[in-house]
Amino acid sequence: MKIINKILDDYKDTPDLITRKIRYNFSYVYLFYIETICSSDRVNTFVLDNITNPVHKKSLKNILAAPNIKVINSNEIEFYIYSGFTILIYLNKIYALETRADLDRSISFPEIEQDLYGAKDSLVENYQKNVGLIKKRIKSKHLKTLEYKLGRFSKSSTGLLYIDNIAKKEIIDKVDSILKNIDVDSIIDSGELKHYLIKEDKSFFPSVKLTERPDVIVNALLEGKIVVVMDTSPFAIVLPAVLADFINPISDSYLVSYNANILKFLRLLCFFITIFTPAIYVAMVNYNQETIPSNLLTSFITQKQGVPFPAAIEAFFMLFICEMLRESDIRFPNNYSSSISILGALILGDAAVEANIVSPITIIVISLTFISSMIFSNVELSGAIRIWRFICLAIASFWGLFGVAIGFIFLIVDLCSYNSFNLDYTFPVAPFDFAYLKDTLIKVKKKNDNKRSKYLPLIFASLVKKNKRCV
């Protein structure tokens, strides 16, 4: 009775707590479950029907039909009752029976990483389903999972997945140590969890990758990487991640090598176009007019007549407007976002030209910049590109093409000096690794791509030897 009174006292202000007292074999069975996270049908089918049936007078444990039954102690009641379990107390024994309701959505199409070919399923907010989608593709005993409960209040189920005969044990132990030492009130999403795995003061570029696609996760595991899956989050964390992982999606693997390589080259070219195009335009118009053909320069001068602002101010103004339109696309409902951005771009661009605030050539340059930036769907990569675009534009506004060259050098230095879990961010170009290069920056015929990169595990081993915290 002490346990029962304690439960009633602890949950006295929980109106959705259902309590039942049922007579069974000359004693009483006490049931407790949270109505909002448990299925009433499952409680009736698994528990109440068997207990109240007069034919069933066997041992209580033998007649309970829940798929997951555990004998727990009083300290575990809070966790299990908020995990969708029904708590059953009989003769001083406490049973937890899984009767959770289906509170998550069904498996659907990827919303962020869409693709014409390849898998059409994506992760959801259910930890068990997400792990199941991965194990559906890797049917091997070597796929291992380390589980954690993160957050003092949230107790979010989190899994560290790896393939034990591919990934190095040292990096697994390192990430395992980080996850075990997290002591906060709650972690409710993998986007929040990743901040405990990285250092944010090293570079603007992301060092871990969030993905919603199970095929991306499986591909990463087979490369020797590690994946962290978290309950209530439809995204998994893949680490380590380098620049080549962000600008070369897995969809290239489903294309013929010739077509894929053209797309890879186009994507890499757009990476530099979206960063340097406004800076080059401002530098040529303001400082280096001799680099522009005379006929084109005459056209530029004609278009600039009546515009009171220099090219740098025009570019900053239009970039700022376009960033607002991009943010409205993300925040608005899907049914309205595209129409709002198109309407805003047409009205603002036309009005700005008619009012002689910006020149038509500036509209063309900024439009080219944003069209090329739309190739990259990763939000953090787009944020890093945005910051470097403004940095290069600011430097070019003072020093012309010489400033563009300085900005390019700064960008290359930043990329070369940055690392992800001690793996150079410019990998597999520097350091060079042909096996991983064939998986990212170029695509060869499938019969020629028969080796796994051995460089990743070697990097993992050096991480522990140098005793560095992951970055």
Side-chain angles (χ1 to χ4, degrees):
M1 290 300 297
K2 290 183 179 180
I3 297 176
I4 296 170
N5 292 333
K6 186 176 185 307
I7 294 175
L8 295 175
D9 183 64
D10 291 342
Y11 300 93
K12 61 182 178 181
D13 294 326
T14 308
D16 53 349
L17 176 69
I18 305 299
T19 62
R20 292 290 303 272
K21 179 181 178 181
I22 303 173
R23 187 169 181 83
Y24 183 81
N25 281 355
F26 308 105
S27 185
Y28 289 96
V29 174
Y30 295 88
L31 296 178
F32 302 92
Y33 65 94
I34 304 293
E35 185 180 23
T36 51
I37 57 179
C38 286
S39 169
S40 299
D41 293 336
R42 293 179 180 178
V43 173
N44 289 331
T45 302
F46 297 154
V47 184
L48 295 179
D49 287 350
N50 293 322
I51 293 178
T52 58
N53 192 333
V55 178
H56 295 160
K57 295 300 180 183
K58 303 177 183 178
S59 171
L60 181 65
K61 189 174 182 179
N62 294 332
I63 66 171
L64 297 177
N68 191 2
I69 303 175
K70 298 183 179 181
V71 178
I72 62 175
N73 55 53
S74 58
N75 296 328
E76 299 176 298
I77 290 178
E78 180 181 8
F79 171 76
Y80 281 100
I81 199 170
Y82 277 107
S83 297
F85 283 70
T86 295
I87 303 301
L88 187 149
I89 302 176
Y90 179 68
L91 297 179
N92 295 324
K93 283 190 175 183
I94 307 175
Y95 301 91
L97 300 91
E98 184 176 358
T99 56
R100 71 183 74 193
D102 295 326
L103 300 179
D104 49 87
R105 59 190 173 96
S106 59
I107 297 173
S108 59
F109 292 94
E111 297 183 3
I112 306 298
E113 302 170 88
Q114 297 182 4
D115 185 24
L116 293 177
Y117 304 104
K120 299 301 181 183
D121 54 349
S122 65
L123 303 184
V124 294
E125 291 81 2
N126 185 291
Y127 171 73
Q128 300 294 340
K129 286 185 178 179
N130 292 342
V131 175
L133 288 173
I134 298 171
K135 292 189 174 182
K136 178 182 178 181
R137 291 168 166 83
I138 300 181
K139 302 177 177 66
S140 173
K141 63 181 180 181
H142 294 288
L143 177 60
K144 305 296 182 182
T145 306
L146 302 178
E147 294 192 337
Y148 314 85
K149 303 296 180 183
L150 301 183
R152 290 188 293 267
F153 290 97
S154 60
K155 295 183 174 62
S156 302
S157 298
T158 305
L160 173 63
L161 282 73
Y162 61 94
I163 299 180
D164 62 351
N165 60 346
I166 298 179
K168 279 289 183 178
K169 189 176 186 301
E170 290 84 352
I171 187 62
I172 299 169
D173 294 339
K174 185 68 176 180
V175 179
D176 176 60
S177 175
I178 295 174
L179 294 176
K180 285 181 177 178
N181 291 327
I182 293 177
D183 185 21
V184 293
D185 286 343
S186 68
I187 298 180
I188 57 177
D189 191 82
S190 56
E192 183 181 359
L193 175 61
K194 73 177 181 182
H195 295 296
Y196 295 90
L197 302 172
I198 63 175
K199 286 185 178 179
E200 299 183 62
D201 57 349
K202 295 294 183 179
S203 176
F204 301 122
F205 290 95
S207 58
V208 297
K209 183 178 181 180
L210 294 180
T211 180
E212 62 177 342
R213 293 185 55 165
D215 53 346
V216 175
I217 295 173
V218 170
N219 186 65
L221 289 170
L222 295 175
E223 289 171 352
K225 297 185 179 182
I226 295 174
V227 175
V228 179
V229 180
M230 186 176 180
D231 196 22
T232 72
S233 175
F235 293 92
I237 303 173
V238 178
L239 54 94
V242 295
L243 181 62
D245 295 323
F246 292 97
I247 63 177
N248 292 278
I250 194 175
S251 57
D252 292 346
S253 302
Y254 306 132
L255 301 177
V256 178
S257 58
Y258 304 108
N259 294 334
N261 286 325
I262 292 175
L263 292 176
K264 289 177 183 292
F265 174 77
L266 177 63
R267 205 176 291 120
L268 188 62
L269 181 63
C270 288
F271 176 78
F272 291 100
I273 287 177
T274 188
I275 294 177
F276 293 104
T277 299
I280 293 175
Y281 164 71
V282 170
M284 294 174 65
V285 170
N286 282 359
Y287 296 96
N288 303 95
Q289 292 91 348
E290 69 277 4
T291 61
I292 306 175
S294 57
N295 292 335
L296 185 59
L297 181 60
T298 303
S299 176
F300 285 179
I301 294 173
T302 303
Q303 295 179 28
K304 287 282 293 180
Q305 289 181 352
V307 178
F309 304 109
I313 301 299
E314 293 181 72
F316 274 110
F317 174 72
M318 291 308 302
L319 284 174
F320 179 73
I321 295 297
C322 290
E323 292 298 341
M324 289 195 298
L325 291 173
R326 182 198 292 271
E327 191 65 17
S328 70
D329 264 352
I330 297 175
R331 306 303 173 191
F332 248 71
N334 292 335
N335 294 335
Y336 302 100
S337 60
S338 298
S339 58
I340 289 294
S341 61
I342 294 173
L343 181 65
L346 290 175
I347 292 177
L348 289 175
D350 184 65
V353 172
E354 292 292 334
N356 283 334
I357 297 176
V358 296
S359 59
I361 184 60
T362 303
I363 300 292
I364 295 174
V365 170
I366 300 303
S367 299
L368 174 63
T369 301
F370 267 80
I371 290 173
S372 60
S373 69
M374 292 173 64
I375 291 179
F376 309 103
S377 60
N378 185 277
V379 176
E380 291 191 330
L381 179 64
S382 298
I385 292 174
R386 179 190 306 122
I387 293 172
W388 274 105
R389 184 191 302 129
F390 280 107
I391 290 175
C392 294
L393 179 58
I395 299 176
S397 300
F398 291 98
W399 290 291
L401 289 179
F402 179 70
V404 175
I406 293 176
F408 178 77
I409 293 173
F410 282 170
L411 175 62
I412 298 301
V413 169
D414 178 66
L415 292 175
C416 293
S417 61
Y418 188 40
N419 57 70
S420 173
F421 283 82
N422 213 42
L423 178 64
D424 291 335
Y425 209 64
T426 53
F427 176 80
V429 176
F432 183 76
D433 182 74
F434 187 63
Y436 197 73
L437 190 74
K438 292 187 294 184
D439 292 331
T440 52
L441 297 179
I442 62 173
K443 178 176 172 55
V444 299
K445 295 180 180 179
K446 203 64 180 177
K447 64 179 181 179
N448 297 330
D449 187 13
N450 53 8
K451 290 185 179 180
R452 181 184 296 112
S453 172
K454 296 182 179 180
Y455 197 80
L456 285 170
L458 293 176
I459 287 293
F460 290 166
S462 65
L463 172 67
V464 180
K465 291 178 181 178
K466 294 182 180 180
N467 196 25
K468 290 184 178 180
R469 190 185 187 277
C470 59
V471 291

